[in-house]
Amino acid sequence: MSGTGIVEEFRSLKRASDADLLTMQCGDFFEFFEADAEAVGELLGLKVSMRSGGGSEYPMAGVPVAQIDEYLSQLVARGQRVAVAEQFTDDAGDHYRRITRTATPGTLLEVGERHTRPIGVLTQREGRYGVAVVDVVEGTAGVAAVADLAAAGGQLRQQQVGELLVGPTVSAPDAAAVCPSDTVCVEEQPAEAFETHRGRKRLAERFGEAIVETRSIDDPAAVAAVGAAIWYVEAMDPELLRAVTRLRVLGRGDRMQVDATTARNLELFETMYGASEGSLLATIDGCVTGGGRRLLRRWIGRPSGAASVIETRQAEVTDLIEVPLVRRRLRDALAETYDLGSLAARLASGRITPADMGRLRRTLAQLPTIGELLTTGALADAAVAETTAAVPMDRLAAVREELEGALVAEPPRSLQEGGVFAGGYDAELDAMLEELEAIETWFEQLAEREQAATGLRHLSTGRNQTDGLYIQVGRSEAARVPDGYEEVKTLKSAKRYRTAEITERERALVRLETDRVLREETLYAQLLETLRPAVPAIQEAAAALARVDVVATAARHAAKHDWVCPTVQTEWGIAIEGGRHPVVEQTTRFVPNDTRFDDTRRCILVTGPNMGGKSTYMRQTALIVLLAQMGWYVPADAATVGIVDGIFTRVGALDELAEGRSTFMIEMAELANILHQATDRSLVVLDEVGRGTATYDGVAIAWATMEHLSGEREGTPTPAVLFATHYHELTEVADRMEGVANVHVEVEDAGDTVAFLRTVAPGAADRSYGVHVAELAGVPAPVVDRASTILGQLRDETAIQVGGGQDPGTQVVFDVGGGTLREAHDGTEGNPQEAALHEAIAALDVTSMTPGELVLAVEQIQTRFIEPDA
Ligand code: ADP
């Protein structure tokens, strides 16, 4: 086909697709053309060349067929959806191309480090929001109907969707506001995708009427959402839909709520600086399988709220703690496995390569070992065996046997390479191979035979594309070739010939080679069909392996770092002894600290100098609760955790200014969110609330927030609250409030430096620690002395000036006894001297005084109130 013909074909395919980019197979390459070639060149640094055809020039960039998935993966990671048009041959032997799939974050079966992420759908019907989540690697479609957009966003975040589809009454911007920030693309889809009656039909077709009924999926919003999800997967990759075998209802299980802000503030997946190293995930992720890593991520993002679930996981971890050798062997066996979830999805979609089949075989071969390790010896009656009990081992053993019988030891990367099947698998193929071999042997020995028969010394044989099989004879001997040699080509120093026998054998060879490819294709298709029904069983095994990996990782981490099994309970209250921060303890000699919440301590006010360890202490408490509800052991000497329904945090973040939003506005928006959402069963962590404003409204907000959350006001929920503040006045208020406790981080005078003890002790921080620290740091004595004096005065007067810069005349007075805060513009509360001055000036009746009288009065005031040398 001519160059322009190809470009025409590219354009027409591109028009038919709504993907961002299109790639087209041309023989052994996938090519991008025109603007797409330039885009790919820019995104991936791929070489773009100019081609010409039909009088015009066009840019083109290509990648080898075998590597297309790796390139797709990089493009998808950069937010591109890429349509893939594969090449086919029609009956007349002409090539044509058809879009067979579109690679998106949720449909591309990742090969490397990245992983396929779930597809999310959000829609609205009859006042409710429908959410659906499809995970092709897990093989599940999840669905839920919720009352509002925020709840829908919560579901989508918990499921960590990688792409989100919306419509017809939910717009992309609406959805973008609530979906996870790292969702690669948010797309509006056509209205018909969301039609409820079609959705119901798609559901029934996919999962069967009975399943849909037993799961009671009847809310129109939910049906519309899951219907659209099925529609989408089918539109992107019809074959891949076969991987989706299970239907579940989202949000039925009890979960702890961890919103995006909290995930960021607690550095669950990445640090505040955006690095993955130093996050909780990176610290505790010792998983050896891709599936394990995915599951761990999910456990961190969605800790459980159900004691039974947590206790089951704990029991499994405990089992594996006690058997380090078994654990090691398990991990070794797991490390030999490949990502079964991905392999299952590839098998389901038919896009499984012979090499993948080899990986599947190898992974299945590990199952008996893993199963045995989990059910014998020390683990004979262990809880962890339950995990594998659901795996249909016999079924999988049959799959493995099938693969063992079918495949060669190292199956090739693609079917086209040939040589997929082992001898003895198919008699027909074996016969062909035998014949092929006979011809090959005949040909290998041909040169020797001909040399002997003809006496020609410079005689050799060869094969290539244009000349086929040939005999080559050096020019010097060309005159002596026998009669039967028919010349086919003349080279500079040699001539090529064929004989009748060669021609005949070659015909047989070519026929056999074609037949062999066809036979392998047929056999491969048959093998696929035989194995496909095992997809759900493989998915089951994938889930079990992931679980075993995470549990073994938890056990290993706990054993290595002396973590303990927390007691989880449904009653409210938290008691942590010797708690540590799971990440900081890795790199620092950590000073353990206690945390206790009970009915007399619902709100803990944390004070102390900067760098004293306040945030670390609060985060460590939150992380211990989170780990406990993941079913993991925790970094502490002992811990009891009353299950919380969510962790809410407000911690000053670094990136807020960079985002160009007012820090204070964000701070308040986050605070608002917490005050709306936190319940009696939540854990709230507030670091320096109110600091974002330079005026005294900061302390007012902090004060009011503390009151609100600690139950001072009737009818407000009273979560467990950790509250760090530099508003010292609050500690005095706190002393008088029931259920509020003061703690502080200790600082020690260590000669000429300040030592941060990082010990959290009862009571509020000493108010003068700042001055003390200044002294230790070498601030000159006169300044320190003066600071102490000022501090003393301020303390006596119980008045401080908050903020400053903007309105130096404004004072705030804390009337601690009455729990009030008021402005002191007239200065009467603060300073009796000033009050008298005020009074004296106010007493002057200026209008009735002569200028002389006025001068006299001012003079009197001066002598009375202002020192002579001033
Ligand atoms: P603050 O919030 O009071 O300013 P941070 O919590 O940020 O202080 O802690 C300051 C530094 O002290 C951090 O580098 C942290 O790693 C370290 N740190 C905090 N708590 C401890 C502890 N208990 N043991 C050892 N180091 C700690």
Side-chain angles (χ1 to χ4, degrees), residues 35 126 147 190 222 229 467 598 607:
E126 298 170 15
D467 305 330
D598 57 31
T607 43

Side-chain angles (χ1 to χ4, degrees), residues 429-754:
L429 182 64
D430 284 349
M432 288 176 191
L433 290 173
E434 210 168 292
E435 273 185 68
L436 267 172
E437 214 179 281
I439 297 177
E440 275 158 12
T441 318
W442 164 84
F443 189 64
E444 269 165 29
Q445 295 162 356
L446 183 64
E448 214 173 296
R449 276 197 309 273
E450 289 295 308
Q451 274 174 5
T454 60
L456 298 174
R457 289 196 301 131
H458 300 287
L459 182 148
S460 60
T461 55
R463 182 182 192 189
N464 70 17
Q465 205 85 61
T466 44
D467 305 330
L469 299 181
Y470 57 79
I471 294 173
Q472 185 165 308
V473 178
R475 265 279 171 84
S476 57
E477 294 177 325
R480 291 166 39 212
V481 301
D483 279 353
Y485 277 34
E486 181 194 333
E487 194 178 316
V488 287
K489 186 179 251 171
T490 305
L491 304 172
K492 216 167 155 195
S493 58
K495 287 194 173 200
R496 287 181 182 166
Y497 305 90
R498 64 170 73 219
T499 62
E501 191 189 16
I502 290 182
T503 310
E504 187 200 314
R505 297 268 183 160
E506 186 179 3
R507 209 171 289 142
L509 178 69
V510 171
R511 195 198 64 234
L512 276 168
E513 281 173 342
T514 323
D515 287 355
R516 174 199 169 167
V517 170
L518 289 176
R519 186 64 197 155
E520 289 209 287
E521 277 172 11
T522 310
L523 289 175
Y524 201 71
Q526 282 171 1
L527 181 62
L528 258 178
E529 286 322 307
T530 315
L531 299 183
R532 243 181 192 154
V535 164
I538 298 172
Q539 287 169 337
E540 209 62 80
L545 290 189
R547 169 94 172 209
V548 172
D549 192 12
V550 173
V551 168
T553 298
R556 181 166 173 265
H557 198 90
K560 215 166 144 183
H561 301 285
D562 267 335
W563 288 16
V564 296
C565 186
T567 306
V568 291
Q569 58 183 32
T570 41
E571 301 88 74
W572 191 81
I574 294 171
I576 299 168
E577 281 167 40
R580 278 122 47 205
H581 189 294
V583 178
V584 179
E585 74 161 343
Q586 301 281 324
T587 49
T588 317
R589 271 192 55 177
F590 201 86
V591 180
N593 279 306
D594 301 346
T595 312
R596 188 166 53 79
F597 281 103
D598 57 31
D599 282 334
T600 62
R601 290 161 67 92
R602 298 202 69 108
C603 176
I604 297 176
L605 208 62
V606 189
T607 43
N610 276 343
M611 289 300 284
K614 298 184 296 297
S615 341
T616 308
Y617 174 67
M618 297 197 299
R619 287 184 206 198
Q620 120 197 357
T621 303
L623 288 170
I624 287 173
V625 170
L626 183 119
L627 283 162
Q629 290 188 226
M630 280 165 60
W632 274 53
Y633 278 37
V634 299
D637 295 338
T640 301
V641 172
I643 292 173
V644 306
D645 62 3
I647 297 180
F648 298 93
T649 57
R650 162 60 220 171
V651 174
L654 307 155
D655 53 346
E656 291 169 348
L657 280 178
E659 277 172 22
R661 285 173 71 187
S662 141
T663 318
F664 185 60
M665 184 64 199
I666 296 180
E667 182 183 330
M668 289 302 113
E670 287 185 6
L671 180 63
N673 178 47
I674 294 172
L675 295 180
H676 281 299
Q677 294 207 52
T679 73
D680 283 347
R681 302 306 302 255
S682 308
L683 173 63
V684 172
V685 172
L686 298 172
D687 203 349
E688 301 284 14
V689 161
R691 204 168 199 180
T693 173
T695 49
Y696 56 82
D697 40 5
V699 68
I701 291 165
W703 185 328
T705 302
M706 184 174 78
E707 277 184 358
H708 183 89
L709 290 173
S710 59
E712 271 293 293
R713 299 275 177 269
E714 279 290 302
T716 57
T718 50
V721 184
L722 279 163
F723 197 129
T725 185
H726 70 292
Y727 293 123
H728 190 270
E729 290 62 35
L730 292 192
T731 61
E732 292 169 34
V733 179
D735 272 342
R736 282 155 219 266
M737 276 163 62
E738 227 176 277
V740 183
N742 277 304
V743 300
H744 68 284
V745 289
E746 290 187 322
V747 181
E748 194 188 50
D749 179 344
D752 53 357
T753 52
V754 190

